[in-house]
Amino acid sequence: MEDIEKRIIAANRAYNLGTPTLSDEAFDTLLSSLPEEHPLRGYLGVRGESAHQHTPKMLSLSKAKLVEDVKGFTQTHEADTMYVTPKLDGVACRLIYVNHKFVAAYTRGDGSFGEDISKVVARLASVPEESPYPKVDGELTLSKEAFERLKSITPYTIARNAVVGLISKNDVGAAAEAGVQFLAYTAHATKKQNAPDSSVARLRELSEAGFSVAPVYYKGPASDLGGLALRTLQIQAQTDKIDTDGIVIRLDSVTAYKALGETSHHPNGARALKHPNDNVTTTATGVRWQVGRSGAITPVIELVPVVAEGAEISRATLHNMRSFVEFAPGAGSVVELKRSGGVIPYIVSVEASSEPFQIPAVCPSCSGEVADDGVALRCVAAAEAPEDCTEAAVSAMCHFAATIGIDGVGPAIAEALIRDGATRGPDLYLAAKNGRLVDLCGEKIGQSLTEEIQAKLELPLSIIIEACGFDRLGKTHAKTIASKCPHNTPTEVLAYFDSLAWADGFGAVDAARMKAGYQRRRSVFALALRRITIKPMTTSGALRGRAFCFTGEIDISRTQAEGYVEELGGICQSGVSKKTDFLVCGDSEASSTKYKKARALQEQGHIIRIISGADFRQLLRDARTE
């Protein structure tokens, strides 16, 4: 029996890591040789069946927004010992170990049933192969540093959304490559196990076994957790290296915690105190499905208008299908919103509906076939060529214009151009040259756009690459590839890209997607090279080696500002780091995340100059006269 167990566990690990040693049929035969009640049969079952029933349930916590709402809980149990950890803002997950060996991982799901994500989690460095406990609950998260790196190559603006997207990918190694980590916060023991009654002691044992565990901010008498202490702990959580949305206050004694029982929604032995915020609630009224330039079909929840931080919000986007299915919004659902960075509204929570909005069976724009690739629902035609789906083509045109620094091309103008036959981004140049912009948009707007486009006849190769919208080729990767291209003429550049291996400096999966994306968009890239002259890269300049980061709006577009920096030899960053020399702030950005991080680094002794848009303009003038 013991030998069979070892063979099953070893084969299962090899399967999760992508190097199977047994066929599915051979594995199932070996598994079926175990007694019916054996835990391995319950956890591994039949491969491909993703739903798993949680025992015990993974209930969400009772949440409070005010310190006063938590004080009743601590006062009721003032004679008990409590401990405080951060309320992690990621994806809850349970790890399963049999005979101390890792066998499976499941998402929290609805608390009763979770989804199998074993192949993703098995690859994480923060998940040990062995555990002293059979079940370990925790959170899949991204550190703030890892998320800053990820933001430069993906559209994510919220770390939790990024984690959801990464664990949903067909590429099961994407989460590990991006730096997703598992932070343990609960260890479940068997009845026969001689485990400590203290939850904190169990976390210490997990840490000694190689787990990354949620930090314990406080352990002591509940009577000491007054208002001031709780507020101090909230501040500590807000400044942690990981994203948090509050703190968790919990009884330390496992026996006392279990004795308090649970409701159908949450355990009675813990409370979550959320960070002070300006979150607002409203009601969902409908859903609109929008098609992006990659073919991704994204749900936009329509809302009863509500004001958040001075701006009226009437819609908010859910950026992946996993969130849509998990939240299950429907007409009348109560929706909690916040504004990311004080700008972008995003959905924090939804009261699930018994009649959720339906997922479309065909593309809402072109009525073509759709496919779920594990990350998003996609229009099949648009994924191959955005021009074959009107809404995707509009999105691609707007992306091209915004990337090269033309601000006036919005969806209405893009759609007019597409109806007129200008279906690809580089067609803007021909529309400007032959006067069609004036015909379509009127004299004033058309002439203004024409002048903007004529000012963009020479651009850096990295901008052209980014504008063409190759898959996985954002600003950072585009600059890396452009810096290695030794050519400037269209024919030579195209030949160079046709022969490019793509693997140099990139992960295998990213490289494969970039290559496939280039092949799909090659004709658009070739057209752009015919319309635009490649601007030689600057290898010197008065700002050479100086790193700039921008936050908020100044009197020129972000693309223009970054272009000026690079013309003078400077470097542009997507986020603030110890290597940042200048943070250029818009007038109202003193509360932005980038500003706060720059100030924190200044207090640590790092030299970062925080300047205004006017200061930046003066800096450019001074640099050009040197």
Side-chain angles (χ1 to χ4, degrees), residues 49 106 111 121 129 179 239 343-344 349 373 380 433 471 474 520 524 569 572 577:
E49 293 183 0
Y106 303 97
V121 173
E129 189 176 348
T239 57
V343 180
I344 303 168
S349 65
D373 64 5
V380 174
K433 185 177 180 180
D471 193 20
R520 284 195 295 270
V524 177
C572 293
S577 71

Side-chain angles (χ1 to χ4, degrees), residues 5 38 56 68 71 145 217 247 256 265 302 462 505 543 546:
E5 289 174 349
H38 197 286
E68 289 69 26
K71 286 170 66 177
E145 183 179 355
Y217 295 151
I247 55 176
H265 302 102
E302 297 173 338
S462 62
L543 299 181
R546 298 294 187 90

Side-chain angles (χ1 to χ4, degrees), residues 392-414:
V394 168
S395 180
M397 177 77 76
C398 291
H399 169 78
F400 185 93
T403 303
I404 67 173
I406 299 170
D407 299 324
V409 178
I413 290 177

Side-chain angles (χ1 to χ4, degrees), residues 547-549 573 575-585 594-611:
F548 286 75
C549 184
Q573 300 175 317
V576 173
S577 71
K578 295 175 183 178
K579 297 181 180 179
T580 304
D581 294 299
F582 293 91
L583 174 65
V584 183
C585 284
K594 291 178 183 177
Y595 177 86
K596 290 176 181 176
K597 185 171 183 179
R599 290 288 297 160
L601 288 170
Q602 285 178 334
E603 290 172 5
Q604 294 170 20
H606 297 285
I607 301 174
I608 299 177
R609 290 187 59 191
I610 300 175
I611 62 176

Side-chain angles (χ1 to χ4, degrees), residues 227-426:
L228 180 59
L230 289 170
R231 289 190 189 94
T232 302
L233 292 168
Q234 280 184 302
I235 293 170
Q236 185 174 350
Q238 286 176 303
T239 57
D240 210 317
K241 294 179 180 179
I242 49 178
D243 271 325
T244 67
D245 62 354
I247 55 176
V248 175
I249 305 102
R250 175 173 167 153
L251 288 173
D252 183 51
S253 167
V254 176
T255 302
Y257 178 84
K258 289 181 177 179
L260 288 177
E262 59 193 34
T263 70
S264 60
H265 302 102
H266 57 263
N268 294 321
R271 294 289 188 275
L273 176 59
K274 303 195 74 172
H275 291 319
N277 57 46
D278 294 317
N279 290 9
V280 295
T281 57
T282 184
T283 304
T285 59
V287 62
R288 186 179 77 79
W289 296 87
Q290 63 182 18
V291 186
R293 58 188 173 85
S294 68
I297 301 172
T298 306
V300 180
I301 309 301
E302 297 173 338
L303 307 163
V304 173
V306 63
V307 175
E309 297 182 35
E312 184 177 271
I313 299 172
S314 58
R315 65 181 65 88
T317 302
L318 282 170
H319 290 284
N320 56 70
M321 290 305 300
R322 185 187 291 269
S323 293
F324 182 81
V325 172
E326 180 183 329
F327 283 144
S333 288
V334 176
V335 178
E336 182 183 6
L337 299 163
K338 74 180 295 183
R339 296 180 69 206
S340 172
V343 180
I344 303 168
Y346 84 95
I347 295 175
V348 177
S349 65
V350 176
E351 180 186 88
S353 171
S354 59
E355 297 183 8
F357 298 127
Q358 295 300 301
I359 297 172
V362 297
C363 174
S365 175
C366 67
S367 300
E369 181 185 356
V370 298
D372 187 342
D373 64 5
V375 181
L377 190 68
R378 293 188 190 276
C379 168
V380 174
E384 287 300 316
E387 297 77 25
D388 293 339
C389 175
T390 299
E391 194 170 340
V394 168
S395 180
M397 177 77 76
C398 291
H399 169 78
F400 185 93
T403 303
I404 67 173
I406 299 170
D407 299 324
V409 178
I413 290 177
E415 189 170 351
L417 285 163
I418 289 165
R419 286 199 305 267
D420 196 53
T423 59
R424 299 168 296 182

Side-chain angles (χ1 to χ4, degrees), residues 124-144:
L124 302 182
S126 53
V127 174
E129 189 176 348
E130 297 187 358
S131 167
Y133 290 92
K135 297 178 182 179
V136 180
D137 294 349
E139 200 93 354
L140 295 172
T141 67
L142 279 166
S143 69
K144 291 176 181 176

Side-chain angles (χ1 to χ4, degrees), residues 24-240:
D24 285 353
E25 183 179 0
F27 181 85
D28 291 339
T29 299
L30 191 62
L31 193 64
S32 64
S33 68
L34 293 174
E36 192 75 35
E37 68 277 7
H38 197 286
L40 282 174
R41 294 191 67 167
Y43 292 129
L44 300 180
V46 179
R47 288 177 176 174
E49 293 183 0
S50 61
H52 167 77
Q53 186 169 4
H54 291 306
T55 306
K57 292 180 179 180
M58 293 185 70
L59 299 176
S60 58
L61 296 175
S62 175
K63 302 175 184 66
K65 294 183 179 180
L66 300 175
V67 168
E68 289 69 26
D69 296 334
V70 176
K71 286 170 66 177
F73 171 64
T74 58
Q75 289 168 357
T76 299
H77 303 281
E78 62 181 358
D80 294 311
T81 297
M82 289 190 173
Y83 70 103
V84 178
T85 60
K87 184 178 182 298
L88 302 170
D89 194 15
V91 176
C93 172
R94 174 169 289 170
L95 309 184
I96 304 295
Y97 290 81
V98 174
N99 294 340
H100 303 292
K101 298 287 188 180
F102 173 82
V103 295
Y106 303 97
T107 62
R108 189 185 78 85
D110 64 1
S112 296
F113 289 88
E115 183 179 345
D116 189 345
I117 53 171
S118 303
K119 285 188 175 183
V120 174
V121 173
R123 290 165 165 77
L124 302 182
S126 53
V127 174
E129 189 176 348
E130 297 187 358
S131 167
Y133 290 92
K135 297 178 182 179
V136 180
D137 294 349
E139 200 93 354
L140 295 172
T141 67
L142 279 166
S143 69
K144 291 176 181 176
E145 183 179 355
F147 184 52
E148 285 299 322
R149 290 195 301 269
L150 188 67
K151 282 199 297 186
S152 67
I153 57 171
T154 67
Y156 295 115
T157 58
I158 306 299
R160 183 187 185 279
N161 290 347
V163 174
V164 172
L166 288 164
I167 66 174
S168 303
K169 286 180 178 290
N170 290 330
D171 170 19
V172 292
E177 187 177 334
V180 171
Q181 61 180 332
F182 175 82
L183 289 181
Y185 51 65
T186 303
H188 300 278
T190 64
K191 291 181 179 179
K192 297 179 181 179
Q193 192 171 354
N194 185 24
D197 189 51
S198 164
S199 291
V200 173
R202 292 186 181 189
L203 289 179
R204 193 177 304 118
E205 288 185 347
L206 288 177
S207 178
E208 291 169 354
F211 283 87
S212 296
V213 301
V216 176
Y217 295 151
Y218 170 86
K219 179 190 174 185
S223 56
D224 287 349
L225 287 173
L228 180 59
L230 289 170
R231 289 190 189 94
T232 302
L233 292 168
Q234 280 184 302
I235 293 170
Q236 185 174 350
Q238 286 176 303
T239 57
D240 210 317

